[in-house]
Amino acid sequence: QRLLSQLATSDNELASGLGQCLEALRLISALPRASPVLVKYSSALSPITKAFGREHLSRVPLRTVIALIKTSFSLSDPIHITTALFYREDGTIDTTPVLIDEDSWKELVPYVHTLHVED
């Protein structure tokens, strides 16, 4: 990675361009795969995990996502997203629970691995 950084900042235009292209390819290959978003619902009985389409969830606001989850799990009580787990740059899953900013949902959804939901 250090070598790519040096190449991308080279005074030589060709080397710099090549370094920038290689860095872009590295970043693209590290993006999360086209996998579903997992939703874990913690109920009084036992937790349930369900997969939702990432592309579908990325098109709607977070409030709509919450309504979709509620309907899908056939829940009557209000629910809320407590935390989320995200993909790291290298594609692995970060196990640190993180709060979701509702206004940033559409930007964040490509990196979300799991949403934790409670009523």
Side-chain angles (χ1 to χ4, degrees):
Q1 188 172 356
R2 191 173 134 195
L3 180 62
L4 279 178
S5 178
Q6 288 175 339
L7 192 59
T9 58
S10 171
D11 291 336
N12 181 314
E13 287 185 29
L14 181 61
S16 175
L18 182 60
Q20 291 173 12
C21 288
L22 290 173
E23 180 66 15
L25 287 173
R26 185 190 69 78
L27 290 172
I28 288 171
S29 67
L31 288 176
R33 308 298 178 254
S35 60
V37 173
L38 300 180
V39 175
K40 287 191 175 188
Y41 169 63
S42 299
S43 68
L45 302 174
S46 64
I48 303 168
T49 303
K50 200 169 199 178
F52 288 81
R54 183 176 304 280
E55 186 176 330
H56 178 64
L57 295 184
S58 68
R59 285 185 255 164
V60 296
L62 188 58
R63 289 179 190 214
T64 304
V65 170
I66 292 169
L68 290 169
I69 293 168
K70 181 179 174 183
T71 302
S72 181
F73 281 101
S74 301
L75 303 172
S76 57
D77 293 333
I79 62 166
H80 63 280
I81 296 172
T82 57
T83 58
L85 300 181
F86 286 86
Y87 287 103
R88 292 186 181 114
E89 281 187 20
D90 64 2
T92 62
I93 301 161
D94 188 344
T95 58
T96 306
V98 178
L99 298 174
I100 296 273
D101 172 45
E102 186 173 328
D103 295 330
S104 301
W105 170 250
K106 290 184 180 185
E107 294 174 50
L108 297 173
V109 72
Y111 307 100
V112 172
H113 177 269
T114 307
L115 294 174
H116 294 274
V117 178
E118 292 179 0
D119 49 13

